[in-house]
Amino acid sequence: ELLRDPGPLTTPRSSLRPLLAQLIFVNIFLGLAEGAFAQARHYTLHESRPWFRSSAVRASEDPYIQSHYGEFFVGLESIRLLAADAAAVFDAAWSQGDSLDAQGRGHVAVTVATAKVASTRVGLELTSRLFETTGARATHGALRLDRFWRNARVHTLHDPVRWKYHLLGNWVLNGKRPARHDWN
């Protein structure tokens, strides 16, 4: 029902379809980041060695590696919360039916754009930086840990996130609701 062609984006409700697509991207990026995190964590716990200058016996005991995982966790939790909030705002708008107005649609657009920006940033950062926690041996092609970054990078190029920053900045500074587009 939601993914079929909505026709012209002439009403606030009909123009929710592009926002659903953006929300799907948010969850794709979240899933890639979660997958990368899980595999890197497993590798760190079972295969990684601490750096030779570290006093840690196991890589998982190294305070720098622990700090990276703390950063990764905060990023993932941020995306999870933003994605859940955006989904709830979207659902509430959808349930309004034809009574949804431009202001309500604008609220959905801002909420989804915020989640999209965060999921893009965190997804790309985590999938790239996971090697700082796993070590050089984890770059071996057979492990394919790089696939998470590659998949995130391909999908994040679909529509440039820099335009989301512009959209959000225009809303924050000037109170301008995001215009309706195929990507917004």
Side-chain angles (χ1 to χ4, degrees):
E1 176 185 353
L2 290 174
L3 295 177
R4 69 176 186 236
D5 183 357
L9 305 179
T10 55
T11 67
R13 186 165 197 261
S14 70
S15 67
L16 286 176
R17 167 61 175 84
L19 297 176
L20 177 63
Q22 293 297 299
L23 193 52
I24 290 169
F25 277 122
V26 168
N27 285 283
I28 288 170
F29 304 159
L30 172 57
L32 288 168
E34 287 175 331
F37 180 86
Q39 288 204 0
R41 181 179 178 276
H42 183 269
Y43 191 88
T44 299
L45 289 171
H46 300 287
E47 301 292 331
S48 291
R49 300 180 207 151
W51 193 53
F52 74 98
R53 295 262 189 216
S54 174
S55 61
V57 175
R58 297 174 356 137
S60 63
E61 296 169 353
D62 184 292
Y64 295 107
I65 290 176
Q66 292 171 349
S67 179
H68 282 304
Y69 276 99
E71 286 181 63
F72 295 163
F73 178 76
V74 168
L76 284 172
E77 284 299 297
S78 299
I79 300 172
R80 287 179 186 124
L81 291 169
L82 288 168
D85 183 50
V89 168
F90 182 93
D91 285 345
W94 183 260
S95 69
Q96 290 181 31
D98 292 333
S99 67
L100 179 67
D101 61 13
Q103 184 175 351
R105 197 263 182 212
H107 178 63
V108 178
V110 166
T111 305
V112 170
T114 301
K116 175 89 181 285
V117 167
S119 65
T120 297
R121 283 187 15 209
V122 171
L124 288 174
E125 182 177 348
L126 191 153
T127 58
S128 174
R129 290 185 57 217
L130 68 87
F131 296 101
E132 296 172 24
T133 65
T134 56
R137 291 183 309 132
T139 63
H140 189 278
L143 292 174
R144 299 184 47 229
L145 289 177
D146 62 315
R147 75 188 184 280
F148 295 106
W149 174 85
R150 188 178 56 256
N151 289 337
R153 181 73 276 188
V154 167
H155 288 292
T156 58
L157 293 172
H158 184 265
D159 57 291
V161 76
R162 67 183 172 267
W163 286 100
K164 298 289 187 210
Y165 282 115
H166 162 72
L167 177 149
L168 291 168
N170 197 22
W171 174 72
V172 169
L173 287 173
N174 303 312
K176 302 282 184 180
R177 284 189 298 274
R180 295 182 218 162
H181 296 287
D182 289 341
W183 58 272
N184 178 45

